[in-house]
Amino acid sequence: MSANPLSVKLTKLLSSSLDDPKLRTSLSALSEFYSVNAVNARHNLRGDIERRVTEVNYQFLRELEQVNNQFLELEAEMRAMNSLCQEMQDRLDVANDKTVALLEQTEALREQSNVCLVRQTIMEAFLERFTLSESEVTILCSTSVDVNPAFFDALEHLENIHADCNALLITEHQRAGLEIMEKMRTYRNISYGKLYQWMQNECRTMSRPDGLMEVREVAKRAIQALKQDDQYFRPILEELVHVRRNAILRAFIDALTRGGPGGTPRPIELHAHDPLRYIGDMLAWLHQTVASEREFLESLLSSEKRKPDRGQAKITFPKASPLRLVESEVSDAEIVNSLLDKNMEGTARPLKSRVEQVLVSQANAITAFKISNLIKFYSSTIDKAIGAEAALSKTLQDISTMSMRVFYEAIGKHSADLLRRPDTPGMDLGPSPAVKEVVSQLKEIMKSFDTSFVQSDEGNQDFTPILGAMVDPLFQMCEIGAGNQGAFNRAVFMINCLHYVQSVLVYPFTKNKADDIEKQIQEYVDIVVGEQHAVLLKQSGIAPIIHAMETKDEQMPLSLVPGADAVSLSAILSRLGHFLSSVNLDLASWLSKIVSSRLAKNISTQNVKMFVDAYRRLRQEIENPKNKYEFPASIRVLTADEVEMLLVED
């Protein structure tokens, strides 16, 4: 059964959701159609809606008609504009036809302009490389502009221009190169003349005596630039030498006579009463001045590039100039040494005169030797700083030679006095007072030489003449003084004197002389041993028999020699035991005057050996059948070993 249409419609309406936005919008628009919800209005709803739609369509058509009219007007205006544009295009075509030649001419001029621009760039680069700017010319040539770092930059540019002109001389631009070179040469002469005058004035301000003034970088660069031409460089060095030599000489005289600022340090001449300190202070002042002056000159003349301090502009030294007329092979170090020599030359004369005054009045050999060592030390030190050929070095060598001459003269005078009035040996035969005095001087001189800084690898040879000058006359004096003594006493006295001198020769540089003295001592030891041996043989009673053994005819038996028969020998040898029991005391008494226990023991040992050897030979002769002793066994009393044992007993 079909559903009721009304119920279907009601069901559909009731099932519709009032939350649908479209439905709500439709209902809202529909509510505007009627102000009263009447039955007629609901019956005419469809017609009212269709009427309303028709009105809206008519209104839309009216609006579209207005838009269409406006488009028609716009179309008319576009046609008019198109007509005007066409007219303008026609005019442009006509104008273009008329200006083709002008455009071609313009293009040609543009190309020429580009060519001219390239040429201008090339010309500007050429001028920049081969000409100086007006400001550079002013800096180099104007006397109103002071020398400053910009001056050296301009000067370096000038030198580079001249060097680059050499490249032009090998091209077709030779004339231009020659003209530029000539112009640069003119500028260079003017600029170097200006730099020379400035540096000359700068040198006159470098008169601080201690050489510790700060050297400005501009002055350093000026010196390096002037090195390129000797006609400017040499006069500047001469001016510098003149100023520094006078300043150093004036400072040296002030140090001698006035002292330092405010009197500290005190004047050196206040210590003239102390020769060693006086000369030492002068030499120390010169040594310090040489060091500070070298530092000053190296700072001024050195061409080494130094790393600039933080915040300091980097300074480039001028390179070697192609315009340089004289090329010198002298290095900076040689220039510094030469200037240092000339700067210090003025101090040589006052130093030499004062040292000579001290040495002339100096009669003490020890002081003269210490002065000589002091001068040698400073001479070797200063030689290393300024060279051995420098004037000051030669002066130091002269006064060193003079000091040694004074020393030798003092030694010679003292030696002559000793030889005129030689000391005679005392009762103890020990070293005389004159020997002790000379040895005391020698010890002090050796100590001074050992602690000095002037010893060379050949120190032994250096000191040998001094030892000879002091010791040889002393030994000669000892020999003369002991001339009236017997051989034994004279030998003992000489041994004591020689040993006393030898005992102080403990330094390496005295080894040769100590060895020579040892040989002399041994000669006198031999004399003492010989004298004692003769006395021992005589006291023992066997001296005549030993003499007979050595002098008799070889064919003659010893028993037939008078005094050597068996009876005489038995009598002599029977008394030998008594002699041997007391001989040790005699030997000790004889050798007690020898100062050296070593030498005394050596002499005693040799005496024992020689006596035992003589006794052994005697026993052999007795036992020899050739000497015809009938009963040799009856003659023997002691064996040689027994004799030796008795002699060596304390």
Side-chain angles (χ1 to χ4, degrees):
M1 183 177 68
S2 60
N4 188 354
L6 181 57
S7 64
V8 173
K9 188 172 184 179
L10 287 173
T11 303
K12 181 177 181 182
L13 288 173
L14 292 174
S15 62
S16 299
S17 176
L18 296 178
D19 294 332
D20 187 2
K22 293 181 181 180
L23 178 60
R24 295 181 67 179
T25 302
S26 300
L27 291 176
S28 177
L30 185 61
S31 64
E32 295 177 359
F33 286 5
Y34 307 103
S35 58
V36 180
N37 187 8
V39 177
N40 293 333
R42 290 194 296 271
H43 288 169
N44 296 326
L45 178 58
R46 181 182 294 275
D48 290 338
I49 291 174
E50 291 176 353
R51 188 171 53 251
R52 284 287 185 97
V53 171
T54 301
E55 289 176 358
V56 171
N57 288 335
Y58 277 117
Q59 185 179 356
F60 184 70
L61 287 175
R62 285 193 297 270
E63 294 295 333
L64 286 177
E65 184 177 4
Q66 292 179 3
V67 173
N68 184 45
N69 292 336
Q70 290 177 357
F71 271 107
L72 292 176
E73 292 175 0
L74 180 60
E75 181 182 6
E77 290 178 359
M78 292 293 293
R79 289 177 180 174
M81 187 180 295
N82 186 37
S83 176
L84 291 174
C85 288
Q86 185 62 41
E87 183 179 355
M88 291 177 65
Q89 181 63 40
D90 294 340
R91 291 180 180 179
L92 288 173
D93 291 340
V94 173
N96 189 36
D97 293 339
K98 293 180 179 180
T99 58
V100 170
L102 180 60
L103 291 175
E104 293 176 354
Q105 184 178 2
T106 302
E107 185 63 26
L109 292 175
R110 184 179 292 109
E111 292 178 358
Q112 292 179 5
S113 175
N114 292 335
V115 173
C116 291
L117 183 60
V118 172
R119 290 180 178 178
Q120 180 183 2
T121 303
I122 295 173
M123 184 58 64
E124 289 176 352
F126 179 84
L127 293 176
E128 181 180 358
R129 184 168 182 177
F130 290 97
T131 61
L132 296 172
S133 65
E134 292 183 3
S135 61
E136 288 177 326
V137 173
T138 301
I139 291 173
L140 290 174
C141 302
S142 176
T143 56
S144 61
V145 180
D146 196 15
V147 174
N148 52 39
F151 176 91
F152 298 103
D153 295 338
L155 183 62
E156 184 176 7
H157 188 197
L158 184 150
E159 305 287 11
N160 292 336
I161 289 173
H162 194 280
D164 293 338
C165 286
N166 292 326
L168 295 178
L169 298 180
I170 60 176
T171 65
E172 67 274 11
H173 305 294
Q174 293 183 359
R175 181 176 178 181
L178 292 173
E179 290 178 354
I180 294 174
M181 290 178 71
E182 184 63 29
K183 192 173 184 179
M184 293 303 106
R185 187 181 295 275
T186 301
Y187 287 147
R188 181 183 185 276
N189 291 336
I190 297 173
S191 60
Y192 269 80
K194 173 183 175 179
L195 183 60
Y196 169 75
Q197 293 294 334
W198 181 88
M199 191 61 205
Q200 194 175 41
N201 294 330
E202 185 74 8
C203 286
R204 291 167 184 166
T205 65
M206 298 178 180
S207 58
R208 182 170 172 177
D210 56 8
L212 296 178
M213 75 285 287
E214 181 179 359
V215 180
R216 296 194 298 165
E217 291 294 339
V218 177
K220 295 180 184 180
R221 296 190 69 180
I223 285 291
Q224 297 305 318
L226 290 173
K227 277 184 183 180
Q228 310 307 317
D229 198 331
D230 286 348
Q231 67 175 332
Y232 295 113
F233 187 53
R234 292 183 184 276
I236 285 297
L237 294 184
E238 292 173 359
E239 181 69 25
L240 181 63
V241 166
H242 176 73
V243 173
R244 295 302 304 152
R245 180 166 52 195
N246 290 339
I248 292 173
L249 176 58
R250 185 167 58 252
F252 185 46
I253 298 300
D254 288 346
L256 290 171
T257 58
R258 298 174 59 184
T264 305
R266 302 174 67 188
I268 295 176
E269 290 189 344
L270 288 180
H271 306 293
H273 62 281
D274 184 353
L276 202 60
R277 180 173 179 181
Y278 179 45
I279 295 176
D281 286 350
M282 287 192 291
L283 295 176
W285 189 94
L286 290 174
H287 177 256
Q288 182 179 2
T289 303
V290 166
S292 60
E293 189 67 12
R294 170 172 285 281
E295 183 177 354
F296 162 71
L297 292 174
E298 288 177 346
S299 175
L300 178 63
L301 295 169
S302 177
S303 59
E304 296 181 358
K305 295 183 179 180
R306 299 180 179 179
K307 185 177 180 180
D309 296 334
R310 182 177 298 178
Q312 179 183 351
K314 182 179 180 181
I315 296 178
T316 304
F317 289 97
K319 60 185 180 181
S321 172
L323 300 179
R324 187 170 186 179
L325 302 178
V326 179
E327 194 69 29
S328 174
E329 298 297 334
V330 181
S331 65
D332 289 338
E334 292 172 327
I335 295 175
V336 168
N337 289 338
S338 176
L339 293 182
L340 190 58
D341 172 22
K342 295 177 181 178
N343 293 354
M344 298 300 300
E345 184 178 5
T347 61
R349 179 174 295 179
L351 172 68
K352 186 175 183 180
S353 64
R354 284 163 173 78
V355 174
E356 286 177 346
Q357 290 175 0
V358 171
L359 292 175
V360 166
S361 61
Q362 187 55 243
N364 189 304
I366 296 175
T367 304
F369 183 77
K370 289 181 177 179
I371 290 174
S372 175
N373 271 351
L374 183 66
I375 295 174
K376 284 181 180 179
F377 165 69
Y378 279 105
S379 177
S380 63
T381 303
I382 293 177
D383 282 356
K384 296 174 183 178
I386 62 179
E389 297 301 320
L392 181 59
S393 296
K394 290 182 177 179
T395 298
L396 290 174
Q397 293 167 11
D398 291 341
I399 61 178
S400 175
T401 302
M402 182 180 180
S403 64
M404 285 303 297
R405 184 170 66 250
V406 170
F407 166 72
Y408 281 119
E409 288 175 354
I411 292 297
K413 182 179 179 181
H414 186 261
S415 299
D417 293 340
L418 292 178
L419 293 174
R420 280 197 300 269
R421 296 185 297 273
D423 287 352
T424 57
M427 294 297 295
D428 60 351
L429 299 180
S432 64
V435 173
K436 294 180 179 180
E437 178 186 358
V438 173
V439 169
S440 176
Q441 293 180 350
L442 180 60
K443 287 169 65 177
E444 193 164 352
I445 290 174
M446 289 189 298
K447 181 179 179 181
S448 175
F449 185 81
D450 184 58
T451 56
S452 68
F453 297 95
V454 297
Q455 293 189 55
S456 64
D457 295 336
E458 302 298 331
N460 209 329
Q461 286 79 0
D462 292 343
F463 200 74
T464 298
I466 299 174
L467 281 175
M470 295 189 68
V471 172
D472 293 347
L474 179 65
F475 293 157
Q476 187 179 357
M477 184 271 296
C478 293
E479 290 177 352
I480 295 174
N484 59 350
Q485 299 287 323
F488 180 82
N489 287 346
R490 184 169 61 253
V492 171
F493 175 69
M494 291 303 301
I495 288 174
N496 289 335
C497 292
L498 289 168
H499 176 264
Y500 189 76
V501 174
Q502 186 192 39
S503 64
V504 301
L505 303 182
V506 296
Y507 299 97
F509 51 84
T510 61
K511 184 178 184 303
N512 290 346
K513 192 63 178 178
D515 293 341
D516 293 340
I517 293 177
E518 181 65 28
K519 294 178 181 178
Q520 292 180 270
I521 291 175
Q522 192 58 48
E523 292 176 1
Y524 287 107
V525 165
D526 293 342
I527 294 175
V528 171
V529 170
E531 291 291 322
Q532 277 196 328
H533 180 61
V535 172
L536 287 175
L537 291 178
K538 183 178 179 180
Q539 291 181 351
S540 66
I542 65 174
I545 301 174
I546 297 298
H547 178 71
M549 289 168 49
E550 295 174 348
T551 59
K552 73 178 182 66
D553 188 353
E554 294 183 1
Q555 303 300 324
M556 184 178 181
L558 181 62
S559 61
L560 299 180
V561 176
D565 56 277
V567 175
S568 299
L569 280 176
S570 296
I572 293 172
L573 295 178
S574 64
R575 295 191 297 270
L576 185 62
H578 176 72
F579 167 75
L580 293 176
S581 63
S582 62
V583 70
N584 284 331
L585 296 176
D586 294 337
L587 286 175
S589 175
W590 294 338
L591 300 179
S592 63
K593 295 182 180 180
I594 295 179
V595 176
S596 172
S597 59
R598 176 184 63 85
L599 293 175
K601 184 177 181 179
N602 183 28
I603 292 172
S604 177
T605 301
Q606 291 188 53
N607 281 326
V608 170
K609 183 177 183 301
M610 291 179 66
F611 186 83
V612 172
D613 288 345
Y615 184 79
R616 182 176 286 111
R617 291 199 309 273
L618 175 59
R619 292 298 306 273
Q620 291 173 352
E621 291 294 332
I622 293 173
E623 295 173 354
N624 190 350
K626 186 174 66 173
N627 289 315
K628 298 182 178 181
Y629 286 104
E630 294 182 358
F631 302 103
S634 63
I635 300 175
R636 290 182 295 180
V637 177
L638 297 173
T639 64
D641 292 338
E642 291 173 339
V643 170
E644 183 176 5
M645 185 178 299
L646 289 173
L647 286 175
V648 298
E649 287 181 354
D650 294 334

